[in-house]
Amino acid sequence: MTLLNILTPWIGILIPIYLTLYYLIPYLTTYRPLARYPGPFSAKFSNIWLGLSARRGQKFAAVDWAHRKYGTIVRVGYNHVSIADERALDTVYAHGNGFLKDHFYEAFIVGTTGLFNTCDRVDHTRKRKMVAHAFSPKSIGEFEPHMTRNVERWVGQLDRICSSAPPQAAYAVMNAMPWFSYLAFDIIGDLAFGAPFGMVTKGKDETEVQLVAGGPVSYAPAVEVLNRRGEISSTLGLLPALRPWAKYLPDPFFRQGMAAVQNLNGIAVAAVASRIDAAEKGTSMDLDRNDLLARLLQGKDAHGQKMGRKEVTAEALTQLIAGSDTISNTACAVFYWILHGERAKPGTVIPRLQEELDAAIPSGTDVATYASVKHLPFLKRCIDEGMRLHSTSAIGLPRIVTSPTGISFDEAHFPYGTVLSVPSYTIHHLAEIWGSDVEEFNPMRWDRLNERQKKAFNPFSYGPRACVGQNVAIMELQIIIGTAFRRYEFELVQRKLESHEGFSKKPQECWVGIRRRIEV
């Protein structure tokens, strides 16, 4: 009689016993010091509660709910504690604390690590040195013409939509969310790969994919692929045991998500290959072009070594994700909240914003220059308030405590190996920090920020691993939002902005009426 035949009658008993011991023993031993912190019951033993929240695209909302139910310090996973206190940003993310990125980020790696997903401190320092020069003030200034060309095409399409309004209709109606995505993808394509993806011109979510360098080229919906990639990677980052089996699971979320990971990498492979191959053949797309890819190819580490093609592709992919997903989501959300604020209190937001823009941008200008909008105070307040309310980077970015003696925060102590995070969405929505109007769009709050509010505002993360491209992001947002409200009148159609979260939080749709403004 085989062992399998002997065990078969007992499997119904052995599996529950195994699972109980698998989750219970670490709870009673390794992670016993975390037992004092409240949280959802299943989160005491596993990451299943957090992983299922990510699977639903609502991790930020689940963590926020947990804090509102259980308090400031909440156990959201078997070794993961979330701290909804702006002071914890220094504890968890500041320079010199020695914390590492959690293994969560490994789910975002495809072949070669990039600046975003490397968990090794030495590797991160090396990569950041090579990438940072691409975002120097001089480099950022040279990016503007690439942005302007794409915004000009975008404006042309919005003008076309305006002209399509039915007779007697005051506005043409459109879903603005896809158009923000098309624009952001085309801009980052121009900056990171040497040419826009052509989405604005086509009015369509489509771009080339090459799964391996030199392989066949196909086409994929890049925006959809990016969304699926964020969802699957965030979920598998929290449920790593599923990673080897994900593409075999019956839930299509996992199969489609794994395909999206490969397709997204294929977009970067195709774009980088096209640029480098063209340069090597001496065609017009040479490496002297002032853009991100040129900077990445020129970058050197402390030993004078440049990146290889795989590493350049990984970094270009990082810029593709950061420069398209986060910008499109943030731009759309800021756009929505400006319109929402005007609808809630007519005459208090848009007239003031347009008065400021009209004074700064000459009549007849299609696209705002950065010089004309970068110092506009009310525009900046509107963008900051929109980023606070939406929190595109909404999740608490997980870090591992590496000190052998652990780390303390107030009276709480977290031992070596604990994963800590500070949830941006929650600290951006705490009434004790922002006041009783915390859920309202109030750009004037930025005139009188107290020290606690200044500390709590965290749209680009914090410390040595904060977003390296945040200055480019702000520049892009100011040009896009400034151009839109200088050129058009809008009417908000939908009542509420619904969001879905992959790695970043994305508005699902944003329906508005649009028409050209009468020139002033």
PDB file of all heavy atoms in Angstrom, residues 74-90:
ATOM      1  N   VAL A  74      -2.536  50.007  13.543  1.00  0.00           N
ATOM      2  CA  VAL A  74      -3.385  48.868  13.200  1.00  0.00           C
ATOM      3  C   VAL A  74      -2.543  47.773  12.557  1.00  0.00           C
ATOM      4  O   VAL A  74      -1.699  48.039  11.689  1.00  0.00           O
ATOM      5  CB  VAL A  74      -4.504  49.291  12.224  1.00  0.00           C
ATOM      6  CG1 VAL A  74      -5.342  48.091  11.804  1.00  0.00           C
ATOM      7  CG2 VAL A  74      -5.392  50.362  12.848  1.00  0.00           C
ATOM      8  N   ARG A  75      -2.784  46.548  12.976  1.00  0.00           N
ATOM      9  CA  ARG A  75      -2.135  45.399  12.352  1.00  0.00           C
ATOM     10  C   ARG A  75      -2.953  44.996  11.132  1.00  0.00           C
ATOM     11  O   ARG A  75      -4.087  44.536  11.252  1.00  0.00           O
ATOM     12  CB  ARG A  75      -2.051  44.249  13.352  1.00  0.00           C
ATOM     13  CG  ARG A  75      -1.199  43.074  12.872  1.00  0.00           C
ATOM     14  CD  ARG A  75      -1.082  42.037  13.967  1.00  0.00           C
ATOM     15  NE  ARG A  75      -0.172  40.952  13.597  1.00  0.00           N
ATOM     16  CZ  ARG A  75       0.120  39.928  14.407  1.00  0.00           C
ATOM     17  NH1 ARG A  75      -0.423  39.874  15.624  1.00  0.00           N
ATOM     18  NH2 ARG A  75       0.949  38.986  14.011  1.00  0.00           N
ATOM     19  N   VAL A  76      -2.366  45.177   9.951  1.00  0.00           N
ATOM     20  CA  VAL A  76      -3.099  44.895   8.716  1.00  0.00           C
ATOM     21  C   VAL A  76      -2.617  43.623   8.035  1.00  0.00           C
ATOM     22  O   VAL A  76      -3.172  43.209   7.010  1.00  0.00           O
ATOM     23  CB  VAL A  76      -3.000  46.082   7.735  1.00  0.00           C
ATOM     24  CG1 VAL A  76      -3.699  47.310   8.305  1.00  0.00           C
ATOM     25  CG2 VAL A  76      -1.554  46.393   7.376  1.00  0.00           C
ATOM     26  N   GLY A  77      -1.576  42.997   8.564  1.00  0.00           N
ATOM     27  CA  GLY A  77      -1.057  41.747   8.042  1.00  0.00           C
ATOM     28  C   GLY A  77      -0.328  41.013   9.145  1.00  0.00           C
ATOM     29  O   GLY A  77      -0.103  41.554  10.235  1.00  0.00           O
ATOM     30  N   TYR A  78       0.072  39.760   8.891  1.00  0.00           N
ATOM     31  CA  TYR A  78       0.673  38.956   9.955  1.00  0.00           C
ATOM     32  C   TYR A  78       1.926  39.600  10.536  1.00  0.00           C
ATOM     33  O   TYR A  78       2.229  39.451  11.723  1.00  0.00           O
ATOM     34  CB  TYR A  78       0.960  37.541   9.451  1.00  0.00           C
ATOM     35  CG  TYR A  78       2.077  37.457   8.433  1.00  0.00           C
ATOM     36  CD1 TYR A  78       3.384  37.190   8.813  1.00  0.00           C
ATOM     37  CD2 TYR A  78       1.814  37.655   7.070  1.00  0.00           C
ATOM     38  CE1 TYR A  78       4.404  37.116   7.874  1.00  0.00           C
ATOM     39  CE2 TYR A  78       2.821  37.579   6.142  1.00  0.00           C
ATOM     40  CZ  TYR A  78       4.118  37.321   6.541  1.00  0.00           C
ATOM     41  OH  TYR A  78       5.123  37.251   5.618  1.00  0.00           O
ATOM     42  N   ASN A  79       2.684  40.339   9.714  1.00  0.00           N
ATOM     43  CA  ASN A  79       3.858  41.060  10.236  1.00  0.00           C
ATOM     44  C   ASN A  79       3.849  42.518   9.815  1.00  0.00           C
ATOM     45  O   ASN A  79       4.883  43.179   9.804  1.00  0.00           O
ATOM     46  CB  ASN A  79       5.153  40.395   9.761  1.00  0.00           C
ATOM     47  CG  ASN A  79       5.386  40.583   8.264  1.00  0.00           C
ATOM     48  OD1 ASN A  79       4.437  40.749   7.506  1.00  0.00           O
ATOM     49  ND2 ASN A  79       6.642  40.542   7.857  1.00  0.00           N
ATOM     50  N   HIS A  80       2.686  43.044   9.437  1.00  0.00           N
ATOM     51  CA  HIS A  80       2.569  44.381   8.851  1.00  0.00           C
ATOM     52  C   HIS A  80       1.699  45.263   9.750  1.00  0.00           C
ATOM     53  O   HIS A  80       0.548  44.930  10.034  1.00  0.00           O
ATOM     54  CB  HIS A  80       1.945  44.259   7.452  1.00  0.00           C
ATOM     55  CG  HIS A  80       1.931  45.543   6.685  1.00  0.00           C
ATOM     56  ND1 HIS A  80       1.686  45.591   5.333  1.00  0.00           N
ATOM     57  CD2 HIS A  80       2.125  46.839   7.053  1.00  0.00           C
ATOM     58  CE1 HIS A  80       1.741  46.845   4.914  1.00  0.00           C
ATOM     59  NE2 HIS A  80       2.002  47.618   5.943  1.00  0.00           N
ATOM     60  N   VAL A  81       2.258  46.402  10.152  1.00  0.00           N
ATOM     61  CA  VAL A  81       1.544  47.361  10.980  1.00  0.00           C
ATOM     62  C   VAL A  81       1.471  48.688  10.251  1.00  0.00           C
ATOM     63  O   VAL A  81       2.481  49.198   9.753  1.00  0.00           O
ATOM     64  CB  VAL A  81       2.245  47.544  12.345  1.00  0.00           C
ATOM     65  CG1 VAL A  81       1.546  48.631  13.172  1.00  0.00           C
ATOM     66  CG2 VAL A  81       2.260  46.230  13.125  1.00  0.00           C
ATOM     67  N   SER A  82       0.276  49.242  10.172  1.00  0.00           N
ATOM     68  CA  SER A  82       0.048  50.537   9.532  1.00  0.00           C
ATOM     69  C   SER A  82      -0.098  51.596  10.614  1.00  0.00           C
ATOM     70  O   SER A  82      -0.823  51.404  11.598  1.00  0.00           O
ATOM     71  CB  SER A  82      -1.223  50.475   8.672  1.00  0.00           C
ATOM     72  OG  SER A  82      -1.482  51.719   8.057  1.00  0.00           O
ATOM     73  N   ILE A  83       0.589  52.737  10.427  1.00  0.00           N
ATOM     74  CA  ILE A  83       0.564  53.822  11.408  1.00  0.00           C
ATOM     75  C   ILE A  83      -0.001  55.069  10.748  1.00  0.00           C
ATOM     76  O   ILE A  83       0.647  55.673   9.883  1.00  0.00           O
ATOM     77  CB  ILE A  83       1.963  54.126  11.964  1.00  0.00           C
ATOM     78  CG1 ILE A  83       2.644  52.848  12.459  1.00  0.00           C
ATOM     79  CG2 ILE A  83       1.888  55.153  13.092  1.00  0.00           C
ATOM     80  CD1 ILE A  83       4.087  53.056  12.916  1.00  0.00           C
ATOM     81  N   ALA A  84      -1.195  55.473  11.130  1.00  0.00           N
ATOM     82  CA  ALA A  84      -1.850  56.647  10.537  1.00  0.00           C
ATOM     83  C   ALA A  84      -1.521  57.885  11.360  1.00  0.00           C
ATOM     84  O   ALA A  84      -2.374  58.470  12.035  1.00  0.00           O
ATOM     85  CB  ALA A  84      -3.355  56.438  10.443  1.00  0.00           C
ATOM     86  N   ASP A  85      -0.268  58.277  11.305  1.00  0.00           N
ATOM     87  CA  ASP A  85       0.219  59.442  12.038  1.00  0.00           C
ATOM     88  C   ASP A  85       1.340  60.056  11.212  1.00  0.00           C
ATOM     89  O   ASP A  85       2.302  59.354  10.850  1.00  0.00           O
ATOM     90  CB  ASP A  85       0.728  59.021  13.419  1.00  0.00           C
ATOM     91  CG  ASP A  85       1.056  60.208  14.313  1.00  0.00           C
ATOM     92  OD1 ASP A  85       1.719  61.159  13.830  1.00  0.00           O
ATOM     93  OD2 ASP A  85       0.681  60.178  15.498  1.00  0.00           O
ATOM     94  N   GLU A  86       1.224  61.343  10.900  1.00  0.00           N
ATOM     95  CA  GLU A  86       2.212  61.978  10.029  1.00  0.00           C
ATOM     96  C   GLU A  86       3.615  61.956  10.634  1.00  0.00           C
ATOM     97  O   GLU A  86       4.611  61.956   9.906  1.00  0.00           O
ATOM     98  CB  GLU A  86       1.793  63.417   9.697  1.00  0.00           C
ATOM     99  CG  GLU A  86       2.016  64.441  10.784  1.00  0.00           C
ATOM    100  CD  GLU A  86       1.009  64.366  11.926  1.00  0.00           C
ATOM    101  OE1 GLU A  86       0.061  63.567  11.828  1.00  0.00           O
ATOM    102  OE2 GLU A  86       1.179  65.105  12.906  1.00  0.00           O
ATOM    103  N   ARG A  87       3.736  61.878  11.954  1.00  0.00           N
ATOM    104  CA  ARG A  87       5.060  61.818  12.583  1.00  0.00           C
ATOM    105  C   ARG A  87       5.786  60.516  12.233  1.00  0.00           C
ATOM    106  O   ARG A  87       7.015  60.460  12.244  1.00  0.00           O
ATOM    107  CB  ARG A  87       4.931  61.961  14.099  1.00  0.00           C
ATOM    108  CG  ARG A  87       4.430  63.314  14.569  1.00  0.00           C
ATOM    109  CD  ARG A  87       4.174  63.305  16.070  1.00  0.00           C
ATOM    110  NE  ARG A  87       3.207  62.283  16.425  1.00  0.00           N
ATOM    111  CZ  ARG A  87       3.340  61.441  17.455  1.00  0.00           C
ATOM    112  NH1 ARG A  87       4.422  61.478  18.221  1.00  0.00           N
ATOM    113  NH2 ARG A  87       2.409  60.539  17.713  1.00  0.00           N
ATOM    114  N   ALA A  88       5.017  59.488  11.911  1.00  0.00           N
ATOM    115  CA  ALA A  88       5.621  58.195  11.577  1.00  0.00           C
ATOM    116  C   ALA A  88       6.324  58.226  10.222  1.00  0.00           C
ATOM    117  O   ALA A  88       7.089  57.308   9.910  1.00  0.00           O
ATOM    118  CB  ALA A  88       4.559  57.097  11.599  1.00  0.00           C
ATOM    119  N   LEU A  89       6.092  59.258   9.403  1.00  0.00           N
ATOM    120  CA  LEU A  89       6.812  59.361   8.137  1.00  0.00           C
ATOM    121  C   LEU A  89       8.321  59.389   8.382  1.00  0.00           C
ATOM    122  O   LEU A  89       9.094  58.773   7.646  1.00  0.00           O
ATOM    123  CB  LEU A  89       6.373  60.620   7.383  1.00  0.00           C
ATOM    124  CG  LEU A  89       4.940  60.607   6.826  1.00  0.00           C
ATOM    125  CD1 LEU A  89       4.537  61.999   6.353  1.00  0.00           C
ATOM    126  CD2 LEU A  89       4.806  59.592   5.702  1.00  0.00           C
ATOM    127  N   ASP A  90       8.743  60.105   9.417  1.00  0.00           N
ATOM    128  CA  ASP A  90      10.171  60.141   9.758  1.00  0.00           C
ATOM    129  C   ASP A  90      10.649  58.778  10.240  1.00  0.00           C
ATOM    130  O   ASP A  90      11.732  58.321   9.891  1.00  0.00           O
ATOM    131  CB  ASP A  90      10.436  61.186  10.842  1.00  0.00           C
ATOM    132  CG  ASP A  90      10.558  62.590  10.267  1.00  0.00           C
ATOM    133  OD1 ASP A  90      11.085  62.731   9.147  1.00  0.00           O
ATOM    134  OD2 ASP A  90      10.114  63.542  10.942  1.00  0.00           O
TER     135      ASP A  90
END
